[in-house]
């Protein structure tokens, strides 16, 4: 097994990025040599109060730039690496032959479920040739999903019901009936365990907001579903499988409020309520082709400027405001960016390192962000010379030590002929895998993923995939089909005492909610966006990043006294039939009583 350019990190230099040091910027000033200052001064300056520096070019930063540019602000985005952040796709270096495109790779496969509303709205506003609804029309729905079991146990495969499902009224009894039927069909647990889990779901669905914030936020999911009392199948599927494989956090630590909020949204989505579309949607092309590149082009057309290869080092504070931002250019030279407003759109583990002591002192909320936790959830792609007959959608290897989830990409990219368009013409598919557990020993080397070299990680993941997929007498994955692999270059130092990951994922242990900041700060020209900012979805997602950017822009508009229309920030769906039960639960909660469905 061989990697293709797996240790190389690439930096994409944006148009004119290198020239900023000598010519200045129109939409955000840069303190450089006098000649640069004169050049900048000679340019037409935007109206007072209208210059915004957006720090970070991931989903949060691009969303903020989009909303601000539509409202007439002059925006410059500073991004250290490449637009799209963790959502982007990337080229496998050195993989193209014969005029073909490089093999497509990614930090992790994209998943845009029907529970999202804010992100799809943005996607509809990004033009794409031939699409009436912009890049949103590039979303497609896989037909099925699978829990792949190891050790000879039967894989659990199920269709995804959409769009013909029309549910009855969502009363507690209808919910009980529907959820019991779904679990018995897909999971096949003992009936009493299914019934108990459904009761726990009903407890959460009918819990008032106060109980969710005061009790369930501080209760681990493992305890909430009483996993310790149940079978190993129940623990593996409904406790560990939901938390580790989907939200990359441990069931013993994950906040019930966070896991339950996500589960609630998916329940309603599957039952046909409050959905933008099917529960499972992916893009019909590699992410940059389907979404990020058209988004960049659209933002440039709106006047947004990009400084790619520029690293934010410090957000400086003086006289009650952000006075500038120290950035490091592609040439390594430090400069100071000035603007009227600043939107920090960096991931929290990077953002908090840039907040100066003065900035932190001005708003204690920023100090609480130090308590937020991140973990590793990183992708590896396997390129195959023959398509494997796995599943027409996502598969979850719930027995794998490294909590693997995966999807075969090529069948969902109808506009691309994989062998003709990509690589050397022999790879026909891309099996994209997410590794969610990096601290447990594997089955091949007995080492954690962090202790393995890159080559060992690839071999170990491949072995775990085969253990889950080849254990029932059929060889679905064979070594002879493996063309090459590519591990996210954001991971470095594997197999050494100090492995690093530049793209960690926010996780949600109990009590997390109370440390998450709002989009507005006490610093009048400084705003926060990113999936760590407190928004309704309460989960590290592209939807959370998008919603938080909208909230940050709204705060900026208020602070600026702007008359521009505010961004719509759509909350998670709430079933109206359950509101009376939640009001009843509020009364019980304030009296110190359990939820009416909580049998202990």
């Amino acid at each position: 097994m061989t990697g293709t350019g797996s240790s190389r990190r690439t930096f994409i230099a944006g148009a004119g990025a290198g020239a900023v040091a000598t010519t200045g910027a129109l939409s955000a000033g840069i303190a450089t040599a006098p000649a640069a200052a004169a050049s900048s001064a000679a340019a037409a300056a935007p109206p007072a109060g209208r210059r915004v520096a957006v720090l970070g070019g991931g989903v949060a930063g691009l969303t903020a730039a989009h909303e601000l540019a539509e409202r007439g602000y002059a925006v410059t985005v500073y991004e250290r690496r490449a637009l799209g952040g963790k959502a982007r796709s990337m080229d496998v270096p050195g993989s193209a032959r014969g005029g073909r495109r490089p093999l497509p790779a990614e930090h992790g496969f994209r998943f845009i479920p029907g529970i999202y509303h804010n992100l799809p709205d943005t996607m509809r506003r990004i033009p794409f040739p031939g699409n009436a609804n912009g890049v949103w029309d590039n979303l497609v729905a896989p037909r099925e999903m699978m829990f792949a079991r190891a050790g000879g146990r039967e894989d659990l495969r199920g269709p995804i019901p959409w769009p013909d499902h029309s549910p009855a009224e969502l009363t507690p009894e209808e919910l009980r009936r529907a959820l019991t039927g779904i679990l018995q069909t897909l999971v096949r647990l003992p009936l009493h365990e299914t019934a108990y889990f459904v009761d726990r779901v009903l407890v959460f669905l009918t819990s008032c907001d106060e109980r969710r914030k005061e009790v369930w936020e501080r209760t681990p999911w493992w305890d909430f579903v009483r996993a310790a009392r149940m079978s190993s199948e129940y623990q593996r599927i409904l406790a560990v499988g939901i938390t580790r494989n989907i939200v990359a956090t441990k069931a013993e630590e994950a906040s019930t409020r966070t896991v339950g909020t996500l589960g609630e949204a998916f329940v309603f989505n599957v039952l046909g309520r409050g959905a933008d579309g099917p529960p499972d949607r992916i893009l019909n092309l590699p992410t940059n082709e389907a979404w990020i590149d058209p988004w960049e082009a659209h933002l440039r057309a709106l006047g947004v400027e990009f400084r790619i290869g520029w690293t934010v080092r410090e957000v400086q504070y003086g006289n009650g405001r952000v006075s500038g931002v120290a950035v490091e250019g592609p040439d390594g030279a430090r400069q100071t960016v000035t603007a009227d407003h600043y939107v920090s759109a960096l991931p929290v583990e990077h953002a908090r390192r840039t907040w100066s002591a003065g900035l932190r002192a001005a708003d204690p909320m920023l100090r609480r962000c130090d308590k937020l936790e991140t973990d590793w959830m990183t992708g590896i792609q396997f390129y195959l010379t023959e398509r494997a007959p796995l599943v027409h959608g996502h598969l979850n290897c719930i027995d794998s030590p490294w909590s693997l989830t995966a999807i075969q990409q090529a069948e969902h990219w109808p506009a691309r002929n994989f062998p003709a368009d990509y690589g050397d013409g022999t790879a026909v598919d891309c099996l994209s895998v997410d590794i969610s557990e990096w601290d447990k020993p594997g089955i091949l080397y007995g080492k954690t993923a962090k202790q393995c070299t890159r080559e060992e990680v690839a071999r170990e993941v491949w072995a775990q995939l085969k253990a889950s997929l080849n254990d029932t007498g059929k060889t679905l994955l064979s070594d002879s089909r493996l063309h090459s692999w590519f591990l996210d270059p954001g991971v470095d130092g594997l197999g050494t005492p100090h492995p690093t990951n530049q793209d960690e994922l926010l996780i949600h242990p109990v009590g997390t909610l109370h440390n998450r900041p709002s989009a507005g700060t006490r610093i009048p020209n400084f705003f926060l966006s990113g999936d760590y900012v407190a928004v309704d979805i309460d989960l590290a997602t592209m939807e959370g990043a998008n919603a938080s950017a909208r909230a940050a822009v709204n705060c900026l508009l208020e602070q600026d006294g702007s008359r521009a229309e505010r961004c719509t920030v759509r909350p998670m769906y709430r079933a109206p039939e359950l509101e009376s039960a939640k009001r009843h639960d509020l009364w019980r909660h304030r009296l110190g009583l359990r939820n009416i469905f909580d049998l202990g």
Side-chain angles (χ1 to χ4, degrees):
M1 187 182 302
T2 59
T4 308
S6 55
S7 63
R8 177 182 171 191
R9 170 168 297 282
T10 58
F11 289 84
I12 302 175
V20 174
T22 57
T23 62
L26 296 182
S27 57
I30 298 178
T32 56
S39 175
S40 181
R50 308 294 283 184
R51 300 176 307 144
V52 184
V54 174
L55 314 178
V59 171
L62 294 179
T63 301
H66 194 158
E67 300 293 345
L68 287 164
E70 286 187 341
R71 289 159 176 80
Y73 283 82
V75 181
T76 301
V77 176
Y78 295 86
E79 166 57 41
R80 68 188 174 92
R81 184 175 53 192
L83 297 179
K86 291 191 287 286
R88 79 194 188 285
S89 59
M90 62 193 92
D91 295 337
V92 176
S95 63
R97 299 286 188 279
R100 298 179 186 86
R101 300 167 183 261
L103 289 170
E106 55 200 352
H107 167 73
F109 55 75
R110 301 275 58 76
F111 172 52
I112 304 175
I115 68 172
Y116 292 1
H117 290 280
N118 296 292
L119 183 67
D121 172 70
T122 296
M123 297 177 81
R124 287 182 174 95
R125 290 154 45 207
I126 303 170
F128 192 88
N131 287 1
N133 298 299
V135 302
W136 184 87
D137 282 341
N138 290 337
L139 293 174
V140 294
R143 303 198 306 270
E144 57 181 350
M145 54 82 66
M146 181 171 74
F147 289 152
R149 306 308 309 272
R153 285 170 285 191
E154 184 181 1
D155 295 335
L156 307 175
R157 184 190 300 252
I160 299 175
W162 195 269
D164 298 324
H165 183 73
S166 180
E169 186 178 13
L170 294 185
T171 62
E173 282 309 309
E174 169 60 20
L175 283 167
R176 186 190 303 276
R177 183 201 64 76
L179 291 173
T180 300
I182 291 170
L183 287 177
Q184 287 180 335
T185 300
L186 294 180
V187 182
R188 305 172 197 167
L189 291 171
L191 185 59
H192 72 278
E193 290 191 347
T194 298
Y196 187 81
F197 183 79
V198 170
D199 276 337
R200 302 310 292 166
V201 173
L202 287 176
V203 168
F204 188 85
L205 292 180
T206 57
S207 288
C208 64
D209 291 341
E210 279 190 18
R211 191 186 298 277
R212 293 185 183 195
K213 292 179 180 179
E214 296 172 9
V215 180
W216 303 141
E217 170 62 20
R218 302 189 180 279
T219 303
W221 179 252
W222 181 270
D223 295 344
F224 179 76
V225 298
R226 308 294 192 267
R229 306 179 188 177
M230 302 298 178
S231 67
S232 60
E233 293 292 284
Y234 180 101
Q235 294 172 357
R236 194 71 213 162
I237 298 171
L238 298 179
V240 176
I242 289 176
T243 56
R244 191 73 220 181
N245 293 64
I246 298 175
V247 299
T249 191
K250 296 176 176 65
E252 297 86 351
E253 302 173 358
S255 156
T256 291
R257 181 185 183 275
T258 296
V259 178
T261 298
L262 180 71
E264 177 181 45
F266 274 110
V267 165
F268 293 147
N269 195 173
V270 170
L271 296 178
R273 291 295 190 90
D276 181 80
D280 189 356
R281 293 183 301 188
I282 58 178
L283 291 163
N284 64 359
L285 289 166
T287 307
N288 274 34
E289 294 183 46
W291 176 23
I292 303 300
D293 290 347
W295 202 0
E296 177 187 358
H298 181 56
L299 294 183
R300 287 186 184 276
L302 291 175
V304 175
E305 297 189 20
F306 294 98
R307 302 289 177 256
I308 303 173
W310 294 74
T311 302
V312 177
R313 293 303 183 190
E314 183 181 44
V315 180
Q316 300 164 343
Y317 179 79
N319 298 320
R321 302 173 63 83
V322 171
S323 57
V325 175
V327 298
E328 187 176 294
D331 60 357
R334 286 209 177 191
Q335 302 169 41
T336 299
V337 170
T338 59
D340 299 302
H341 309 281
Y342 304 83
V343 178
S344 177
L346 300 170
V348 66
E349 68 274 19
H350 297 297
R352 58 194 175 196
R353 291 198 295 262
T354 71
W355 298 338
S356 62
L359 196 74
R360 287 167 171 267
D363 192 340
M365 177 182 70
L366 300 178
R367 292 199 297 269
R368 293 203 305 272
C369 291
D370 291 338
K371 298 180 180 179
L372 295 175
E373 298 180 32
T374 58
D375 203 347
W376 290 33
M377 186 176 187
T378 303
I380 182 170
Q381 288 77 53
F382 296 95
Y383 304 96
L384 309 178
T385 57
E386 296 179 39
R387 291 195 181 178
L390 303 181
V391 62
H392 301 293
H394 290 97
L395 65 92
N396 186 333
C397 300
I398 58 176
D399 297 314
S400 57
W402 290 0
S403 297
L404 307 179
T405 50
I407 189 169
Q408 289 173 276
Q409 304 276 34
E411 71 171 288
H412 304 292
W413 296 344
R416 290 280 177 261
N417 184 317
F418 208 98
D421 289 347
Y422 296 104
D424 61 6
T426 62
V428 303
D429 207 349
C430 171
L431 179 61
S432 187
V433 184
D434 280 354
I435 308 168
S436 296
E437 174 58 78
W438 286 76
D439 295 306
K440 286 187 178 179
I443 63 175
L444 199 59
Y445 299 104
K447 297 191 292 187
T448 70
K450 292 176 183 176
Q451 293 170 335
C452 291
T453 65
R454 298 180 76 86
E455 178 84 20
E456 288 171 340
V457 167
R459 290 181 179 275
E460 179 71 54
V461 172
W462 186 252
Q464 291 186 31
L465 289 170
K466 291 194 294 184
S468 292
L469 297 166
N470 293 352
D471 61 324
T472 55
K474 295 181 179 179
T475 302
L476 302 181
L477 284 183
S478 65
D479 294 345
S480 62
R481 289 175 173 163
L482 182 57
H483 175 277
S484 58
W485 55 267
F486 182 84
L487 177 62
D488 183 359
V491 174
D492 199 9
L494 293 177
T496 75
H498 303 290
T500 60
N501 187 345
Q502 295 195 46
D503 298 293
E504 295 192 21
L505 183 73
L506 181 74
I507 59 173
H508 305 269
V510 293
T512 294
L513 177 68
H514 306 291
N515 295 322
R516 296 178 68 175
S518 61
T521 74
R522 294 185 182 180
I523 300 97
N525 64 338
F526 185 62
F527 311 91
L528 304 178
S529 67
D531 59 13
Y532 67 98
V533 174
V535 292
D536 205 46
I537 194 169
D538 188 30
L539 189 70
T541 57
M542 295 183 293
E543 174 77 350
N546 184 278
S548 70
R550 292 166 179 247
V553 170
N554 285 346
C555 291
L556 188 155
L557 295 175
E558 289 295 324
Q559 194 64 243
D560 211 27
S562 172
R563 296 183 179 181
E565 183 180 0
R566 298 316 189 240
C567 307
T568 299
V569 185
R570 187 166 173 180
M572 301 285 282
Y573 176 76
R574 298 175 70 108
E577 297 95 327
L578 297 180
E579 290 306 305
S580 61
K582 291 179 181 179
R583 289 193 295 271
H584 179 68
D585 187 61
L586 178 60
W587 172 77
R588 293 181 62 88
H589 175 63
R590 290 179 175 176
L591 289 177
L593 301 173
R594 290 179 173 179
N595 179 278
I596 195 170
F597 293 103
D598 194 345
L599 304 178

